[in-house]
Amino acid sequence: MAILVASRSTLLRSCAPIVRPARSGLSARCMSAPAGELRKTRLYDFHVQNGAKMVPFAGYSMPLQYGSVGAVASHHHVRNSVGLFDVGHMVQSNFRGPTATAFLEWLTPSSLHALAPYTSTLSVLLNERGGIIDDTVITKHAEDAFYVVTNAGRRERDLAWFRDRLEEWNAGELARERGKVEHEVLEDWGLLALQGPEAAQYLQGLTSFDLRELTFGRCAFVPIEGFNLHVARGGYTGEDGFEISVPPSQTVEVAQMLSKPPVQLTGLGARDSLRLEAGMCLYGQDLDEETTPIEAGLAWVIGKDRRENGTFIGADGVRKHLKEGPPRRRVGMIVEGAPARQGAKIFAPSSQDQLGAYPLSRGIPLSLSRARFLIRSTDLSSRCKGVVTSGIPSPTLGKNITMGYVANGWHKKGTEVEVEVRSKMRRAVLTPMPFVPTRYYRG
């Protein structure tokens, strides 16, 4: 996956998009490539047999939608009932060894030592500057055993990073004294996401395990119709649901078992709109290596003790943004008129009334010097405050929702801005995310 990035100073100076402009988050990754170069999940033939339209995505041939059921209809079905997604393109890994906790706490800023067994957390892999190499879900099975899921589009970058850092770690003093860490990639394993308000009822009908014991962020090995599968409660839609890891030889049979009515097979089109309504990021679009977790609104993944001890890769850049504030911040917006797509520029309002009076009247801090500067500014480049990274018409809300980055100080809820859509300025209002309330099962 080709990702074009720009420096923070470039972004704020010229609002050059941090990725190649595209009509949607999905099309940014659905890049043309010869079919022979694409990977296939274990369910490729299953998708084709069920009428899927297959498209290139993150180096894989993946289902966009099935038969005559469009993305919007599939979106509503997941919000109201239950859908099944193939997410087997994601990279599943095991890290094992006496120093596994310490190793992963070096790679990420999360407090993994504080996680209880069989619980998960969202985290980030950071480069030396504090930029996000990838976002990841880390599940702790024990102090010496972790299950980690990373993005398919970052497969080569992530695996090379793991390899190099493991070599460095295992040559170090702690590993020599207490034991090394081993990394196993679960090649060709299936990963199925059963998502929606009826997901638990459907899955409960297939197992004697009491799924009420699995609250959001917890996992277990669950007996399902003769299979013993790793089941984690969570997902990428904002709905209640489960992500189920399946050995290669069992993937097709498990998918068949999980796709009976009312379950509906669901493709990438609906997955993208569901995740954006839930305010979730898509790597390569909303996140990249020039973006810190503070800019991305992910400061909550950084443990309090980790902020203090700074014993993770990229700590200096992250702690600088924590202390001084980041130069830009990820925000959500509702845009009037036509939907704003990836790459659209975000501007300060053009009229003097909006510039000077609007933020003050809404109680949003605006220094007098900045207000005077903005009122004097008529040049678009000086009014440019950010860029859209994801945007769609929301099927649930019937409004145009957008995610993007704006200069620090322009990120407050209710701030009014303008977004350039099809060569016209559209009014937009900064709105808290998620756009649609999440419905995770917490017991």
Side-chain angles (χ1 to χ4, degrees):
M1 179 177 61
I3 302 170
L4 303 181
V5 299
S7 68
R8 298 181 183 89
S9 59
T10 302
L11 175 63
L12 298 179
R13 181 171 64 251
S14 64
C15 284
I18 61 174
V19 289
R20 181 174 302 158
R23 284 190 55 79
S24 71
L26 187 57
S27 58
R29 291 195 167 191
C30 291
M31 296 174 290
S32 60
E37 295 182 5
L38 295 175
R39 291 175 175 265
K40 297 177 181 179
T41 73
R42 284 277 171 166
L43 294 178
Y44 177 85
D45 292 338
F46 172 81
H47 297 314
V48 173
Q49 292 164 6
N50 281 278
K53 177 182 178 181
M54 306 300 287
V55 297
F57 181 82
Y60 279 77
S61 182
M62 297 294 291
L64 178 67
Q65 62 186 62
Y66 294 84
S68 60
V69 181
V72 172
S74 291
H75 177 111
H76 289 310
H77 190 82
V78 173
R79 286 276 180 252
N80 295 301
S81 184
V82 55
L84 184 70
F85 301 80
D86 175 13
V87 288
H89 60 306
M90 306 290 279
V91 182
Q92 303 177 68
S93 295
N94 285 322
F95 289 88
R96 299 189 184 94
T99 57
T101 299
F103 172 70
L104 290 173
E105 286 196 333
W106 181 47
L107 262 58
T108 76
S110 298
S111 297
L112 302 178
H113 66 277
L115 277 182
Y118 288 90
T119 60
S120 306
T121 182
L122 178 70
S123 191
V124 286
L125 301 173
L126 300 177
N127 60 31
E128 294 86 349
R129 302 180 306 278
I132 300 172
I133 294 174
D134 203 359
D135 56 326
T136 176
V137 175
I138 299 177
T139 300
K140 181 179 184 177
H141 289 158
E143 289 293 330
D144 60 354
F146 290 82
Y147 166 69
V148 177
V149 179
T150 51
N151 285 301
R154 300 295 283 169
R155 178 186 176 92
E156 301 307 321
R157 173 70 165 115
D158 291 345
L159 293 183
W161 184 256
F162 288 146
R163 182 187 64 244
D164 293 345
R165 300 290 76 75
L166 265 174
E167 183 178 348
E168 182 179 353
W169 178 266
N170 285 335
E173 182 178 353
L174 188 63
R176 290 198 306 269
E177 291 179 355
R178 294 175 47 196
K180 297 181 178 181
V181 177
E182 296 180 350
H183 175 212
E184 175 193 17
V185 180
L186 300 177
E187 294 287 10
D188 293 326
W189 277 56
L191 190 61
L192 294 164
L194 189 69
Q195 300 283 297
E198 296 181 0
Q201 180 181 351
Y202 183 88
L203 189 60
Q204 188 64 78
L206 301 173
T207 181
S208 59
F209 184 96
D210 187 353
L211 294 175
R212 291 175 297 181
E213 295 179 14
L214 282 188
T215 52
F216 177 72
R218 294 191 62 83
C219 66
F221 286 93
V222 176
I224 301 176
E225 294 289 282
F227 301 100
N228 190 43
L229 304 175
H230 186 273
V231 177
R233 199 150 198 165
Y236 196 49
T237 64
E239 295 293 334
D240 183 25
F242 307 87
E243 292 193 340
I244 304 167
S245 181
V246 191
S249 63
Q250 302 171 5
T251 302
V252 173
E253 191 173 351
V254 172
Q256 292 170 338
M257 178 178 62
L258 294 177
S259 57
K260 295 179 172 60
V263 178
Q264 187 178 90
L265 295 175
T266 313
L268 293 172
R271 188 169 182 254
D272 192 55
S273 56
L274 289 160
R275 71 93 188 169
L276 186 50
E277 286 187 346
M280 297 181 180
C281 296
L282 177 64
Y283 193 91
Q285 196 162 307
D286 308 306
L287 303 174
D288 61 26
E289 290 208 43
E290 295 297 315
T291 303
T292 72
I294 313 307
E295 292 175 306
L298 298 175
W300 61 271
V301 308
I302 306 170
K304 182 179 179 182
D305 59 312
R306 311 306 312 286
R307 301 181 188 205
E308 295 171 353
N309 61 40
T311 54
F312 55 90
I313 296 172
D316 289 346
V318 169
R319 294 168 87 186
K320 178 179 173 65
H321 280 187
L322 282 169
K323 181 179 179 180
E324 301 175 5
R328 57 182 179 143
R329 294 180 186 268
R330 182 171 63 95
V331 296
M333 291 172 283
I334 301 290
V335 182
E336 294 182 354
R341 303 291 186 176
Q342 178 192 5
K345 296 175 183 177
I346 303 167
F347 295 92
S350 56
S351 76
Q352 292 190 9
D353 286 342
Q354 287 174 307
L355 286 167
Y358 174 78
L360 294 174
S361 67
R362 295 296 179 91
I364 299 171
L366 181 69
S367 69
L368 183 59
S369 61
R370 192 176 76 180
R372 286 173 177 164
F373 169 76
L374 291 173
I375 290 172
R376 288 195 306 267
S377 300
T378 56
D379 177 66
L380 280 181
S381 63
S382 63
R383 284 176 47 216
C384 190
K385 295 299 165 189
V387 64
V388 169
T389 54
S390 291
I392 57 163
S394 163
T396 301
L397 301 177
K399 300 176 181 179
N400 299 317
I401 61 174
T402 294
M403 186 187 296
Y405 285 83
V406 296
N408 196 12
W410 285 87
H411 62 285
K412 305 296 185 181
K413 178 179 69 175
T415 298
E416 192 169 310
V417 295
E418 292 180 350
V419 180
E420 188 176 23
V421 182
R422 300 174 189 171
S423 301
K424 293 183 179 179
M425 290 297 183
R426 307 282 183 176
R427 178 179 177 271
V429 178
L430 269 62
T431 306
M433 294 184 285
F435 297 101
V436 174
T438 57
R439 296 193 288 186
Y440 304 128
Y441 174 73
R442 300 187 186 276

